[in-house]
Amino acid sequence: MTRFCSAFSALWRHAPLWRLCVCLCGISIALAVFFPTHTLTKLAPWLPNHALETASQPNNTHNTALRPQASNSGSAASHPMPVHLQYPDLAETITGHITLGNHTLLLPHGAWHPVLAAQITDNSPYSFLALIRTELGAVTGILIAQATEQPIPLEQVMAETDVCHDDRNYLNNTLTTAQAVEDCAALRLITLHGPTPSDSPFTNEAIARLNVMGFPIPPLFVTAQWRHIEATNDGRAQVGTIDFLIPPLNPQTHQLLAPPPAWLKDALPSHPVSAHFVARMKKWLPQWQNILQASFEDQLDDTALPAGALRDPMAGNEH
């Protein structure tokens, strides 16, 4: 060790070119760590990611025609719908709640950033908003919310709640009120494969933008899905939906807590790590569902929120 130190000291004094190379190497490593490229972030997702500051693009909007998701069933589903798309500034931060179609929806804990906004402008008007939450460069949540701008025919939306009656889900939970036809939530496994991982073109567009921006999208999510259909006296309905995609990541390494096969419902008894995460989600989701229902119906008492009801298992540093 003494010989090494002596040799290093001699080189440092008598080899200025070598000394310059050592300094430049140290500076380059520091810059790579604090300002990683998108490729480096994918290889080492625990590095800080400045995509929120650098990858945002100027606000721009355009009109297009997309096919709606399965909720708009019947004749409306067979024709493209006029859609007004907007690509917000990813540097914008949203906390607390969002408002869609004059309805307030409370967000899980954390700083959220808008990815995609859209409005359907035909006779079944919907508003759509996709948000992302990150921590130290890792994606900790993708939230996709939709709500009607005005009541639409009830028969167009009854299929919305089908997701809450699938026995492959980890959890199905239904609430009833005097106003709502149905308010339900489901907890399920969703894997992302190919260029169109979802039946919703809006969701696919949001994920495509995140991929272009260089965000490291995990291969699977434990997804909380909320569906609310509120009937009106004239046979129409107000609708709110949320898909909250939560990646089950290790908070230190930002890698999956368990390999993909361990997240299958039938495999949980043999994999305690994934079973524990799903159990935490099953405990949390009904609390958030109650809050979403009350806020959508404008009956929420902010002073009586249950402790932890807005803190999902991947929120903040509390894991």
Side-chain angles (χ1 to χ4, degrees), residues 102-106 179 228 230 290-302:
N102 298 318
H103 300 288
T104 299
L105 299 171
L106 266 64
Q179 291 181 302
H228 182 94
E230 183 177 319
N290 282 317
I291 290 174
L292 289 174
Q293 177 184 346
S295 63
F296 189 87
E297 297 176 355
D298 198 23
Q299 297 179 355
L300 182 66
D301 181 1
D302 292 341

Side-chain angles (χ1 to χ4, degrees), residues 32-100:
V33 169
F34 288 101
F35 302 96
T37 64
H38 292 155
T39 301
L40 184 59
T41 306
K42 290 180 179 180
L43 295 174
W46 56 86
L47 293 176
N49 189 341
H50 293 265
L52 294 178
E53 289 79 12
T54 61
S56 60
Q57 60 192 71
N59 286 356
N60 61 86
T61 62
H62 68 274
N63 291 313
T64 185
L66 297 176
R67 291 190 179 277
Q69 64 186 109
S71 62
N72 300 316
S73 55
S75 59
S78 61
H79 303 287
M81 284 186 169
V83 175
H84 184 69
L85 291 179
Q86 181 178 7
Y87 298 89
D89 187 349
L90 279 164
E92 180 183 349
T93 299
I94 300 173
T95 60
H97 70 276
I98 56 174
T99 301
L100 284 181

